[in-house]
Amino acid sequence: MSRLKMGIIGAGGIAQQRHIPAYLNIKEKAEITAVHDRNHDRAIEVAERFEIPHVFKNYNELFTEVDAVTICTPNKFHAEIAIAAMEAGVHVLCEKPMAITTEECEAMIEASRKSNKLLSIAYHYRFTEAGQVAKQAVMADEIGAPLVTRAQAMRRRKVPGWGVFTNKELQGGGSLIDYGCHLLDLSMWLLGDPEPVEVMGSTYNTLSRSPDQVNDWGAFDHETFEVDDHVSAYIKFENDISLQFECSWAANIKEDARQLSISGAAGGLNVYPYELYQSRHGKMMTTTAELDYSEENAGFRQAQNFVESCLGETALIVKPEQARNVTKIIEAIYASSETGTSVKLRSDSI
């Protein structure tokens, strides 16, 4: 195989703004040969704009023209389409989250195993330069055994006023499943994918259900708003690792904030901006670095990793089992909020 033939399923904003430009940036290894969208007119427009030769009304027909697909549909359809693709002998890169439920994730992993086709999830924060350097620092034992992690993905008033982001049936949730999932994934990856043990969470949507909305990202109907716009959680992992987590689309805070820090037994690190904290030579030391935080560049690296993995040149950075565990925690946060009690994810958890 000289070049990977890629198909795009779901031709909305994330496909046009991130995935398609990323593949066009690595034309020597990948070519986009087909596109499908439930809105056929949009698929035609995207095909003309990006010079994609084939447009299909049925995504099952698209599989005959490609080696791999990138799925950019609402969350509800991730599992269905990914499983169909792998059963048809096609590799899959699926937009985050992997699926709405852990059960759907397990079915996707099983389809990958049976078909021997690659399955990866588009958690592109791992591919920022800051994320990559932080991972190297953890693997080099710069911070020792991780103890406490703090992660925030906070927006002041940025509820997406377009697409289906606030549709619970199609998306499964709001700020947590759309935005917070990135910081959950990056945290767990940096921690070495520890097994989650117990989750306590609370979800809110008071602000977005209030009249007279002030929102930076378009208008939405506050009367029908049914997903979370603010979430907090406390997550315990094996080896007594803990994660203090918060995310929002709408919160009464001064400004948007993205933060991830890990305190370990031998040191600590902060990802945004990258800093490493250690005690050495009898002094407190802080090491900084000039790093790239661009999500656009992260998208290019993500596409390259997936394509090269499909071509057998490297290994996937985002593995489906890891993405399943993110969904498991998201599912537990929602369940904990609904019941008002913690959710135990392991039978021997205390």
Side-chain angles (χ1 to χ4, degrees):
M1 184 188 306
S2 57
R3 287 198 299 171
L4 190 78
K5 293 189 293 183
M6 176 64 66
I8 305 295
I9 300 179
I14 198 66
Q16 296 178 50
Q17 296 164 20
R18 177 167 298 137
H19 295 287
I20 293 175
Y23 292 126
L24 293 177
N25 197 51
I26 49 173
K27 286 184 176 180
E28 71 283 0
K29 292 192 175 183
E31 56 180 327
I32 304 173
T33 58
V35 61
H36 160 81
D37 193 279
R38 296 182 74 179
N39 182 336
H40 192 58
D41 289 339
R42 178 164 64 183
I44 292 173
E45 291 173 4
V46 169
E48 290 176 351
R49 175 185 172 191
F50 292 102
E51 300 181 346
I52 301 171
H54 301 292
V55 181
F56 291 92
K57 289 186 176 180
N58 186 318
Y59 64 73
N60 286 288
E61 296 174 355
L62 175 148
F63 299 148
T64 63
E65 292 291 332
V66 301
D67 305 307
V69 294
T70 299
I71 299 172
C72 305
T73 67
N75 302 339
K76 179 179 179 179
F77 307 110
H78 285 184
E80 167 194 323
I81 298 172
I83 291 169
M86 289 181 285
E87 288 179 344
V90 173
H91 302 296
V92 172
L93 174 65
C94 181
E95 252 302 330
K96 56 75 193 169
M98 185 173 182
I100 292 178
T101 68
T102 306
E103 183 179 6
E104 289 176 328
C105 294
E106 294 288 5
M108 293 166 72
I109 291 171
E110 183 62 20
S112 175
R113 288 172 179 163
K114 285 184 176 180
S115 64
N116 198 31
K117 293 299 171 181
L118 295 183
L119 170 62
S120 190
I121 311 303
Y123 281 120
H124 68 277
Y125 279 33
R126 297 193 192 189
F127 293 90
T128 61
E129 195 173 51
Q132 297 272 309
V133 171
K135 181 65 172 178
Q136 292 177 41
V138 172
M139 293 180 66
D141 206 30
E142 296 276 9
I143 67 169
L147 302 173
V148 178
T149 299
R150 294 154 295 272
Q152 284 188 313
M154 304 293 291
R155 293 174 181 157
R156 183 174 181 177
R157 292 295 177 93
K158 289 185 172 69
V159 176
W162 62 87
V164 297
F165 285 97
T166 61
N167 185 315
K168 188 173 183 179
E169 180 185 357
L170 294 178
Q171 293 294 90
S175 62
L176 171 59
I177 206 166
D178 167 62
Y179 181 35
C181 65
H182 278 301
L183 271 293
L184 278 176
D185 175 75
L186 184 57
S187 296
M188 294 168 65
W189 183 56
L190 294 178
L191 292 171
D193 305 304
E195 181 183 354
V197 173
E198 189 171 8
V199 174
M200 185 75 183
S202 296
T203 67
Y204 308 88
N205 63 9
T206 302
L207 268 65
S208 296
R209 289 190 60 81
S210 303
D212 303 320
Q213 291 293 325
V214 176
N215 189 60
D216 288 345
W217 282 3
F220 61 94
D221 186 353
H222 75 277
E223 292 185 350
T224 61
F225 192 90
E226 58 182 352
V227 297
D228 53 280
D229 65 10
H230 195 169
V231 174
S232 65
Y234 183 78
I235 303 154
K236 291 209 66 170
F237 297 94
E238 61 184 346
N239 299 324
D240 204 30
I241 299 171
S242 62
L243 170 59
Q244 302 167 14
F245 171 81
E246 185 181 14
C247 70
S248 72
W249 278 342
N252 283 323
I253 54 178
K254 180 180 179 180
E255 58 190 3
D256 297 353
R258 181 176 61 176
Q259 191 263 347
L260 198 171
S261 64
I262 304 175
S263 295
L269 63 80
N270 190 72
V271 180
Y272 304 109
Y274 181 84
E275 294 177 337
L276 180 65
Y277 315 118
Q278 296 173 315
S279 299
R280 300 174 61 188
H281 313 302
K283 298 292 182 179
M284 300 292 188
M285 302 186 69
T286 299
T287 303
T288 63
E290 296 295 326
L291 298 177
D292 171 23
Y293 300 92
S294 165
E295 292 189 37
E296 180 181 1
N297 291 338
F300 292 150
R301 297 184 190 106
Q302 174 179 260
Q304 185 172 26
N305 176 252
F306 180 66
V307 168
E308 291 179 351
S309 295
C310 291
L311 295 174
E313 298 174 1
T314 190
L316 288 174
I317 287 179
V318 182
K319 297 178 174 56
E321 294 81 6
Q322 298 168 339
R324 172 203 56 204
N325 286 343
V326 176
T327 295
K328 182 186 292 186
I329 289 177
I330 291 171
E331 203 173 20
I333 291 173
Y334 284 139
S336 174
S337 181
E338 184 174 342
T339 62
T341 61
S342 68
V343 173
K344 294 178 171 57
L345 298 176
R346 199 170 69 181
S347 58
D348 61 343
S349 59
I350 298 173

